Amino acid sequence: MRVIVHGGAGGAPDDPEPRQAVLDEAAARGADAATPLDAVESAVGVLESDPRFNAGVGGAIQSDGVVRTDAGVMTSDREVGAACSMPGVEHAASVARVVHSETPHIFVSGEHAVDLAAEFGVETGVDLLTDEKRERYEEENPPRGGPREHLDWLASRFGSGADQAGEGSERDAPDHDTVGSVATDGETFAAVTSTGGRSFALAGRVGDVPQVGSGFFCTEAGGASATGAGEDIARVTLSRRAVDFLDDGHGAQEAADRAIEEFEEITESGAGVIVLGDEEVGSAFNTDGMQTSIAYK
């Protein structure tokens, strides 16, 4: 088993050593798994439970004060599962796997995704909001009215310096980001990405993470997981582009480099991507940092 994980692309974190230790634990946990799908779910599950990362506990808070989680998973047979806008769901990647493995669909959203999670034993009703996120939200004088008031409020916050912990933080913004993993057992691949979204986004906003080809993608050539400016990642389907380069015969590192170069040229925005191929592991980013970890078994 070969596993790579990432902890998000953005600014350099204030506590890189403990975050790296958690990433190393996540990769090791994945490498001990029986299948690539087990591996990526197990690895990301470690990160979803750690408030240092923007997934699960400690996820970004939306304009109505609620943390909603999203995730997507894909295997090299092109089977897909995604779930989004789930309040109270710590392990969004596990819900995406339920969609992948237990339903005829590729995407389930909102309260119905939460109900599906509960039906298949994924814990719901979890308090995902940390004291730090709650205090930062209240300091921003949050809106109390309808969507127009929320849009006016977030106009100066979403994508600005005030948004320091989100999936689409500015290229030089501090803090952490979306998480993801790609794994292979030498025969098949799996890729997953999980997020708490982006701070100060409109309530109900969904970014790139659960969109197949954007936040994650996988074929027989390999897999990729992306992180960064979500709207821009979706516009260029960053993970699909990285895997396209694998399909064209490039190695994983070159595929990652080319995908990020193309992304920056088109969007002038910030992102990162991890890529796993048959014989190589790659990662690239154009932000101040993106921590990764690799494990083999």
Side-chain angles (χ1 to χ4, degrees):
M1 190 71 67
R2 291 186 291 138
V3 180
I4 180 171
V5 299
H6 71 76
D14 294 333
D15 55 349
E17 291 82 8
R19 290 181 84 249
Q20 187 63 50
V22 178
L23 286 163
D24 292 344
E25 177 189 350
R29 186 83 60 87
D32 283 336
T35 69
L37 188 54
D38 291 334
V40 295
E41 181 187 10
S42 297
V44 165
V46 173
L47 306 178
E48 290 170 328
S49 296
D50 193 305
R52 293 180 180 88
F53 301 93
N54 180 20
V57 177
I61 189 168
Q62 295 193 329
S63 64
D64 62 350
V66 177
V67 177
R68 295 177 175 88
T69 57
D70 310 329
V73 64
M74 186 171 184
T75 45
S76 47
D77 56 3
R78 294 186 183 260
E79 291 295 322
V80 175
C84 73
S85 293
M86 296 182 291
V89 175
E90 177 179 347
H91 294 297
S94 294
V95 188
R97 180 173 181 171
V98 168
V99 178
H100 170 283
S101 302
E102 304 291 345
T103 83
H105 311 304
I106 62 169
F107 209 151
V108 180
S109 67
E111 62 182 275
H112 300 294
V114 176
D115 291 343
L116 182 68
E119 186 75 13
F120 283 87
V122 181
E123 186 177 7
T124 61
V126 181
D127 184 4
L128 305 178
L129 188 57
T130 62
D131 291 341
E132 176 189 357
K133 294 290 175 65
R134 183 181 291 106
E135 291 171 5
R136 189 155 68 91
Y137 174 73
E138 293 299 337
E139 288 171 356
E140 291 293 328
N141 189 27
R144 305 299 181 190
R148 287 186 183 274
E149 181 180 333
H150 285 240
L151 286 168
D152 290 341
W153 175 82
L154 66 85
S156 62
R157 294 171 174 83
F158 182 76
S160 73
D163 173 14
Q164 295 182 345
E167 161 204 9
S169 301
E170 291 181 321
R171 288 169 57 179
D172 59 348
D175 220 341
H176 51 256
D177 212 322
T178 290
V179 303
S181 179
V182 189
T184 183
D185 58 3
E187 296 181 0
T188 62
F189 291 87
V192 68
T193 307
S194 179
T195 190
R198 182 171 175 177
S199 294
F200 309 135
L202 184 67
R205 175 262 188 188
V206 178
D208 68 294
V209 165
Q211 297 187 50
V212 61
S214 297
F216 64 100
F217 199 69
C218 200
T219 70
E220 291 183 354
S225 170
T227 169
E231 277 71 14
D232 292 323
I233 288 173
R235 290 183 181 104
V236 302
T237 56
L238 178 57
S239 291
R240 172 65 187 264
R241 291 298 298 139
V243 176
D244 281 347
F245 289 123
L246 288 180
D247 282 322
D248 289 342
H250 299 290
Q253 185 56 54
E254 186 174 2
D257 289 337
R258 284 177 175 245
I260 290 298
E261 288 171 5
E262 180 181 87
F263 170 83
E264 183 171 5
E265 181 179 346
I266 294 171
T267 69
E268 299 182 349
S269 190
V273 66
I274 56 172
V275 182
L276 184 63
D278 283 330
E279 299 179 354
E280 189 180 355
V281 178
S283 65
F285 57 94
N286 65 341
T287 61
D288 286 344
M290 183 180 76
Q291 289 180 283
T292 63
S293 184
I294 302 167
Y296 299 84
K297 189 78 172 186

